[in-house]
Amino acid sequence: MISLREINMDNFHECIHLKVNENQRNFVASNMYSLAEAKADGVSVPLAIYDDDTMVGFVMYNYDEKNKMGWIDRLMVDENHQKKGYGRFAMNEVIKRLKLIDSCEKIRTSFEPNNDVAKKLYTSLGFKLTGEVCGGESVAILDIK
């Protein structure tokens, strides 16, 4: 069974040792960086993606009350577990969680412009490219209201 779980001291080391394959390294920040960012910003929700008791990936999101917008900041699936639907599952679960926030109207994500796998996944989930570039990444938005 696939699930999203909190990252704590029991699974922290496992999380920071997940990695994407070599040709994807420039597409996503390390999990160590993401966990540090979540601790520092105090609003991001970092979660491990599990298949039964095996950690297979990482996802992180937050909600911006002022702009009534969710952000899916990170998504990565370990190189040994790709192409099994884990990324799609994690995105769908985070979208469900953000939809539970009554005031959330939109969900944004971003990706490296040459990351065709991310672009294909996000557009297949209904995200639309905005034409905006944020931190060198293409921005996509999902209208949920």
Side-chain angles (χ1 to χ4, degrees), residues 68-118:
K68 300 180 180 181
M69 187 173 311
W71 267 96
I72 302 175
D73 303 302
R74 301 288 190 290
L75 174 65
M76 69 80 66
V77 175
D78 183 81
E79 64 185 340
N80 298 311
H81 301 284
Q82 294 184 0
K83 298 184 181 180
K84 298 178 183 176
Y86 298 125
R88 178 173 299 280
F89 171 85
M91 287 295 293
N92 279 321
E93 284 300 305
V94 170
I95 290 167
K96 284 180 197 174
R97 290 173 185 218
L98 288 166
K99 282 181 174 181
L100 292 173
I101 302 170
D102 288 335
S103 59
C104 187
E105 297 175 356
K106 298 176 184 186
I107 301 171
R108 292 171 62 114
T109 193
S110 63
F111 58 93
E112 291 291 329
N114 55 348
N115 187 343
D116 294 330
V117 173

Side-chain angles (χ1 to χ4, degrees), residues 121-139:
L121 172 62
Y122 300 150
T123 57
S124 76
L125 293 170
F127 284 84
K128 306 281 187 232
L129 291 172
T130 65
E132 180 184 351
V133 175
C134 181
E137 294 187 341
S138 300
V139 175

